Amino acid sequence: QVQLVESGGGLVQPGGSLRLSCAASGSVFSINDMAWYRQAPGKEREFVARVTRDGSANYADSVRGRFTISRDNAKNTMYLQMNGLKPEDTAVYYCNAFIKATWTAPYHDTYWGQGTQVTVSS
């Protein structure tokens, strides 16, 4: 079985920084794209950032220039460095990844973490 677990969320003041982590564990043969999504109360879940296996990244317009996504393939872990945080960034942040549990799997399946709360408030 595969698990994705987010960590690093918490309460931070506007302008502050936070680093989120997402670790894949269990039966993991390979991981393709990994991404961060977020959902604020009363809002739809929205895309934040995505990183490919080789490290290429793209971002939502709302976070570009402030957030940096990265990954460590040896550790099966993805990160999101969040700088210059704003109250509008307050949301539950979810990890998403496409994973093959074994080499015999016909394709990569999508997995989601349980989410970690980020609150930006003075």
Side-chain angles (χ1 to χ4, degrees):
Q1 60 275 26
V2 175
Q3 287 190 79
L4 290 176
V5 180
E6 303 96 334
S7 62
L11 175 64
V12 64
Q13 294 183 342
S17 297
L18 216 54
R19 190 176 82 149
L20 306 184
S21 298
C22 170
S25 62
S27 182
V28 178
F29 177 72
S30 68
I31 306 176
N32 279 346
D33 290 0
M34 302 183 78
W36 289 99
Y37 289 76
R38 68 187 183 186
Q39 187 168 21
K43 303 289 186 179
E44 299 289 332
R45 185 172 297 189
E46 66 175 352
F47 167 79
V48 176
R50 171 169 36 247
V51 60
T52 66
R53 187 185 299 175
D54 69 352
S56 297
N58 66 292
Y59 301 89
D61 290 342
S62 59
V63 307
R64 187 176 294 109
R66 299 187 297 121
F67 291 9
T68 302
I69 189 171
S70 61
R71 64 192 287 174
D72 184 337
N73 291 334
K75 297 182 180 294
N76 288 334
T77 301
M78 172 180 65
Y79 307 95
L80 185 68
Q81 179 65 47
M82 304 184 294
N83 298 325
L85 283 163
K86 305 174 180 180
E88 307 91 89
D89 296 317
T90 296
V92 176
Y93 284 69
Y94 295 93
C95 175
N96 172 248
F98 287 90
I99 299 173
K100 274 190 177 183
T102 68
W103 74 271
T104 58
Y107 45 76
H108 291 74
D109 292 323
T110 187
Y111 292 85
W112 290 90
Q114 292 298 308
T116 185
Q117 177 71 49
V118 171
T119 302
V120 184
S121 176
S122 58

